[in-house]
Amino acid sequence: MNTSATHNERIAKITFASVYPHYVTKVEKKGRTKEELHQVITWLTGFDNKKITQLINENITFEQFFQQAKLNANTSLITGLICGYRVEEIENPLTQKVRYLDKLVDELAKGKKMEKILRS
């Protein structure tokens, strides 16, 4: 994925709190739950429900969000297209982490089984 520094900076400055409601809407519209969304976020980042709520309330950026995260050892198993790019080929580490989260949310919304989403 060839992106500009400006694109990567924009992603870094987006707040998790501004995107989170869109994640909730997306998964609930497809019959999934907020609890399942949190399960996916927890699997990727290591954050529990309390921490997720705290980070939303603190209005932190994606850069700060992923600085605090302890990524799951199996994140390298997340592959496929997101926003027209292969997630495994994204060169900027932060952009790739954000797209990992986007990919997992997409899979949840598309009705994939949780075992497959969580790469277990």
Side-chain angles (χ1 to χ4, degrees), residues 33-76:
T33 65
K34 185 175 168 181
E35 290 73 27
E36 288 173 309
L37 173 62
H38 279 224
Q39 187 178 354
V40 167
I41 295 170
T42 297
W43 178 86
L44 180 65
T45 64
F47 299 144
D48 61 15
N49 286 340
K50 183 179 176 185
K51 183 69 173 177
I52 293 168
T53 301
Q54 176 190 341
L55 296 173
I56 291 168
N57 292 336
E58 290 175 3
N59 209 37
I60 65 165
T61 63
F62 268 123
E63 183 173 33
Q64 295 164 322
F65 180 86
F66 281 107
Q67 283 173 348
Q68 295 181 41
K70 291 179 179 68
L71 286 190
N72 189 293
N74 289 332
T75 55
S76 63

Side-chain angles (χ1 to χ4, degrees), residues 95-119:
T95 301
Q96 186 177 49
K97 291 171 189 171
V98 172
R99 296 304 185 202
Y100 280 154
L101 180 55
D102 291 343
K103 180 72 175 162
L104 295 175
V105 171
D106 277 0
E107 290 177 355
L108 183 63
K110 288 179 180 173
K112 237 183 175 182
K113 291 184 180 187
M114 195 58 80
E115 308 84 59
K116 296 243 185 223
I117 296 169
L118 304 182
R119 278 45 183 187

Side-chain angles (χ1 to χ4, degrees), residues 21-32:
H22 299 287
Y23 289 155
V24 173
T25 300
K26 183 175 194 166
V27 301
E28 287 182 341
K29 195 163 94 174
K30 298 293 186 167
R32 302 305 285 259

